Amino acid sequence: MAEASRWHRGSSKLNMHYRRDAEITITLEELLLYFIFLINLCILTFGMANPHMYYLNKVMSSLFLDTSIPNDERTNFKSIQSITDFWKFMEGPLLEGLYWDSWYNSQQLYSLRNSSRIYYENILLGVPRVRQLKVRNNTCKVYPAFQSLMNECYDKYTSENEDVSDFGLKITFSSRYLYGGYIFTLSKSKSKTKTKFIDLRLNSWITRGTRVVFIDFSVYNANVNLFCIIRLVAEFPATGGILTSWQFYSVKLLRYISYYDYFIASCEIIFCIFLFVFTTQEIKRINEFKADYFKSIWNWLELLLLLLCFLTVSFYAHCNMQTFLFLGRLLKSTEKYADFYFLAHWHVYYNNIIAITTFFAWIKIFKFISFNKTMSQLSSTLSRCMKDIVGFAIMFFIIFFAYAQLGFLVFGSQVDDFSTFQNSIFAQFRIVLGDFNFAGIQQANWILGPIYFITFIFFVLFVLLNMFLAIINDTYSEVKADYSIGRKPDFELGKIIKKNYQNVLEKLRLKKAQSDEEIQRAEKMKKWKERLEKKYYSTETEDDYQPVTQQEFRELFLYAVELEKELHYISLKLNQVMRKLSALRY
């Protein structure tokens, strides 16, 4: 029975060894397969991100945003403050930027359908459109004491306050476009467009009820196969003045033209194949492990990545379908406004979702390198100090949000960084990183400003952040001490890959066997053991008690581990001898 028990223990250890080898093999196969998938995904993302997009946006924004209005070099679209400046921009930089009908030497540029070529390379698609949204009068109440001075009141824009009645030069409200508005389209002729601008200005097209004006147009550059959809926005808030903003979207609506585009198409097909394979694998694992499958954070990451991949494919299919249905129709209407804005929006959403997918795809690599000693230490550190970090985070954000509300209430009406509660939160994160405007805070309130700044720096930067670093540092020291006295991950992927690589080289006779190195390692281990025996187990030692340092204790512990390995090896050899003797007996 004793021999049978020893045989059972030996066979179980062999089974554990085989299971470990199988786990290593599966992990390496999954890693190789996933790297192929990741490379394919990166090719897709870099294939859709054209560097010409940035330069096209840059030249367009420089033309329409940075060009000064006539007779005032300091004012452009970014800095217009009044309705007068707005009309000067419409009749100056906008008009000159939209219509390029002649070469620099005054020769006719192009005669094809009388199309404008911005910067001589970008075709203006259709005609531009100008749209405004208004609010009705008496949408707010005037205090009785001021009704004798002001009997009109125009509130901020909401869908309930929107004005939909006809006004001016037979300009009617239209709801055909997103959010509706009062719309007029420009002409393909520069002179006719200028006449329209003058008539609108003289007939007060912009009134006290105007809250926002949108200027929309689109261009196409055949040299780089990119559409640029442009929207210039001028907001007229209830406080008076003008706030400007802008949007420039460079997108590739015509996807398959060059050979490289077809190569990207093949990568898209491979991506779908990988998605099918990974989905099948996860379904099998869920059926195999049931509820235990959801106990691992890596499995949750896997499910999240699969969900993002399916969303990416859905957005891609929808974008291509929308482009196929509407692109030809929009290009045919050369005398109307070509609304590419919704197509650009869908492509921006697609770009965002594939960017998030790529991010989590890279994060998943930690699943495979978590068997590395360093990564195992990092994960152990985070898991051990998680409770302390949660408790610290509660205390940190209580103080942080208290200071954010204080800054918003004290400086909100004077300093732009604290104009809203959200801005106050981000401003405080910038203060932690060293980016702050102390002069503006002090000027807003010369008593509370310095007090707020000094106390925030002291409590948040000097106290709380150092407490956070102390929590991480102490936990990491504990984990590192545990690893230094023998605790290691089940297997280190880097060493396994290196070992397999060396075995392949030895089989191909490209590298000599490591017998010499093993002999040197054994001799080094022998000398180390002899030194420990001489130091701690010498018969010349008189005192039984010998104080040891932490380093000496670590060496003794490792020495005990080595002795255990040798005893285990001797035990296996003895078991083999006993089995042979028992076989000879019968």
Side-chain angles (χ1 to χ4, degrees):
M1 290 296 293
E3 292 177 1
S5 177
R6 286 194 295 269
W7 169 252
H8 176 71
R9 287 197 297 267
S11 62
S12 64
K13 291 177 181 178
L14 290 174
N15 290 335
M16 290 178 61
H17 178 72
Y18 290 142
R19 285 199 299 268
R20 180 183 171 188
D21 290 343
E23 184 179 358
I24 293 172
T25 303
I26 293 173
T27 302
L28 292 176
E29 291 176 355
E30 289 182 353
L31 179 60
L32 178 61
L33 184 65
Y34 187 74
F35 264 120
I36 297 174
F37 165 76
L38 192 60
I39 292 172
N40 183 76
L41 180 61
C42 291
I43 292 174
L44 286 180
T45 54
F46 289 125
M48 58 172 282
N50 191 332
H52 295 292
M53 293 178 177
Y54 167 76
Y55 295 110
L56 183 57
N57 287 339
K58 183 178 180 180
V59 295
M60 289 298 165
S61 62
S62 176
L63 177 62
F64 292 103
L65 301 181
D66 298 331
T67 304
S68 303
I69 64 177
N71 303 323
D72 190 355
E73 295 182 356
R74 296 177 298 178
T75 305
N76 52 31
F77 181 78
K78 296 179 180 179
S79 59
I80 58 177
Q81 299 293 331
S82 64
I83 297 177
T84 303
D85 292 340
F86 176 78
W87 283 117
K88 287 181 180 179
F89 167 78
M90 297 286 283
E91 298 173 20
L94 180 66
L95 189 67
E96 297 297 329
L98 287 175
Y99 298 97
W100 295 56
D101 51 5
S102 62
W103 198 253
Y104 60 87
N105 56 2
S106 299
Q107 293 183 356
Q108 186 177 2
L109 187 59
Y110 296 103
S111 59
L112 182 61
R113 294 188 180 182
N114 194 25
S115 298
S116 174
R117 303 292 177 94
I118 300 175
Y119 279 121
Y120 310 117
E121 302 292 346
N122 304 282
I123 305 174
L124 181 63
L125 301 176
V127 293
R129 182 190 70 183
V130 181
R131 176 170 64 102
Q132 75 159 304
L133 299 176
K134 299 178 61 179
V135 295
R136 302 187 309 274
N137 187 16
N138 298 323
T139 51
C140 52
K141 294 182 179 181
V142 180
Y143 191 72
F146 290 92
Q147 289 181 356
S148 60
L149 301 175
M150 179 179 294
N151 57 4
E152 296 178 342
C153 187
Y154 296 88
D155 199 1
K156 64 180 180 181
Y157 176 80
T158 62
S159 57
E160 292 79 12
N161 297 336
E162 187 173 1
D163 188 1
V164 296
S165 60
D166 297 348
F167 81 102
L169 296 174
K170 296 182 180 180
I171 296 177
T172 59
F173 181 86
S174 174
S175 60
R176 291 177 300 167
Y177 301 95
L178 186 63
Y179 303 125
Y182 296 92
I183 299 168
F184 76 89
T185 55
L186 307 185
S187 173
K188 299 186 74 68
S189 170
K190 182 178 180 179
S191 58
K192 291 181 180 180
T193 299
K194 186 172 184 179
T195 302
K196 279 189 175 183
F197 283 157
I198 294 174
D199 290 342
L200 292 172
R201 174 169 55 84
L202 294 177
N203 288 274
S204 300
W205 186 66
I206 297 178
T207 64
R208 285 188 58 196
T210 301
R211 286 293 172 262
V212 63
V213 174
F214 300 96
I215 305 169
D216 299 309
F217 56 96
S218 305
V219 299
Y220 173 69
N221 190 306
N223 300 331
V224 294
N225 187 29
L226 289 177
F227 291 79
C228 186
I229 293 85
I230 302 169
R231 168 169 287 182
L232 307 178
V233 183
E235 297 182 65
F236 299 79
T239 57
I242 298 178
L243 302 175
T244 58
S245 59
W246 48 88
Q247 295 172 344
F248 292 83
Y249 297 126
S250 290
V251 294
K252 186 177 181 180
L253 299 180
L254 304 175
R255 299 191 61 86
Y256 307 113
I257 294 180
S258 63
Y259 291 110
Y260 181 72
D261 294 334
Y262 288 107
F263 170 71
I264 297 296
S266 63
C267 292
E268 293 169 352
I269 297 174
I270 296 174
F271 176 83
C272 294
I273 295 174
F274 271 113
L275 181 57
F276 175 77
V277 172
F278 290 152
T279 304
T280 305
Q281 288 180 351
E282 295 308 309
I283 292 175
K284 290 181 179 179
R285 289 175 181 173
I286 292 174
N287 292 331
E288 180 180 358
F289 296 103
K290 306 299 180 181
D292 293 336
Y293 175 87
F294 300 97
K295 295 180 180 180
S296 173
I297 189 173
W298 298 115
N299 293 336
W300 283 102
L301 178 62
E302 188 76 40
L303 294 178
L304 175 62
L305 186 58
L306 288 176
L307 176 62
L308 291 173
C309 288
F310 278 110
L311 286 176
T312 300
V313 174
S314 301
F315 272 89
Y316 174 80
H318 182 77
C319 288
N320 285 347
M321 182 64 65
Q322 293 292 326
T323 302
F324 175 78
L325 293 176
F326 294 101
L327 183 60
R329 188 188 310 171
L330 292 172
L331 293 177
K332 289 179 180 179
S333 305
T334 58
E335 299 295 331
K336 298 180 180 180
Y337 167 68
D339 189 3
F340 287 89
Y341 192 76
F342 74 99
L343 292 178
H345 252 287
W346 278 110
H347 277 77
V348 170
Y349 294 149
Y350 169 69
N351 180 74
N352 293 340
I353 195 67
I354 199 172
I356 297 173
T357 303
T358 307
F359 170 78
F360 282 105
W362 279 102
I363 294 298
K364 187 186 170 183
I365 295 181
F366 286 107
K367 173 183 177 181
F368 300 102
I369 65 176
S370 61
F371 300 109
N372 179 269
K373 179 181 178 180
T374 304
M375 294 306 303
S376 181
Q377 288 180 355
L378 177 60
S379 60
S380 299
T381 301
L382 295 178
S383 60
R384 280 195 188 186
C385 66
M386 186 58 63
K387 293 182 179 179
D388 294 332
I389 290 178
V390 171
F392 167 81
I394 294 173
M395 178 177 61
F396 174 82
F397 283 109
I398 288 174
I399 298 176
F400 191 83
F401 286 128
Y403 271 100
Q405 190 167 6
L406 174 64
F408 168 61
L409 295 176
V410 175
F411 316 118
S413 61
Q414 303 292 329
V415 183
D416 179 61
D417 291 341
F418 295 88
S419 57
T420 64
F421 183 70
Q422 294 84 351
N423 288 349
S424 299
I425 293 174
F426 289 114
Q428 290 186 162
F429 279 117
R430 290 168 53 193
I431 291 175
V432 172
L433 297 175
D435 180 16
F436 53 85
N437 180 18
F438 177 74
I441 295 174
Q442 188 178 28
Q443 186 177 3
N445 194 313
W446 66 277
I447 296 177
L448 292 179
I451 294 175
Y452 162 85
F453 182 78
I454 293 172
T455 56
F456 178 80
I457 291 294
F458 177 77
F459 286 110
V460 175
L461 189 61
F462 292 159
V463 178
L464 293 179
L465 289 184
N466 282 289
M467 286 178 60
F468 175 75
L469 294 177
I471 292 172
I472 298 294
N473 189 41
D474 290 346
T475 308
Y476 180 73
S477 299
E478 295 175 2
V479 172
K480 195 172 183 181
D482 290 346
Y483 275 76
S484 65
I485 61 175
R487 179 184 174 185
K488 295 181 180 179
D490 295 336
F491 60 93
E492 296 188 24
L493 198 58
K495 291 183 179 180
I496 295 169
I497 295 175
K498 183 179 179 181
K499 182 179 178 181
N500 292 335
Y501 173 72
Q502 291 176 351
N503 292 336
V504 171
L505 293 181
E506 291 175 6
K507 290 180 180 179
L508 296 176
R509 297 182 180 180
L510 298 176
K511 189 176 182 179
K512 294 182 179 180
Q514 302 295 320
S515 58
D516 296 339
E517 293 184 3
E518 293 176 357
I519 294 173
Q520 293 177 1
R521 193 181 303 111
E523 291 179 352
K524 186 177 179 181
M525 181 66 68
K526 183 178 179 182
K527 292 180 180 179
W528 176 65
K529 293 179 181 178
E530 291 176 352
R531 181 176 62 83
L532 291 177
E533 291 176 356
K534 184 178 180 181
K535 185 174 182 180
Y536 297 104
Y537 302 102
S538 175
T539 57
E540 300 176 358
T541 304
E542 297 180 357
D543 299 331
D544 294 336
Y545 173 73
Q546 294 186 31
V548 296
T549 63
Q550 183 179 2
Q551 180 64 27
E552 291 173 339
F553 175 78
R554 186 179 303 166
E555 291 182 352
L556 287 172
F557 185 87
L558 295 176
Y559 179 58
V561 172
E562 292 297 327
L563 289 177
E564 183 184 4
K565 292 180 179 178
E566 292 183 0
L567 289 173
H568 177 66
Y569 177 76
I570 294 171
S571 176
L572 290 178
K573 290 295 183 181
L574 288 174
N575 288 335
Q576 292 178 1
V577 172
M578 294 299 295
R579 286 196 299 271
K580 290 181 179 179
L581 289 175
S582 62
L584 291 174
R585 185 182 305 173
Y586 296 103

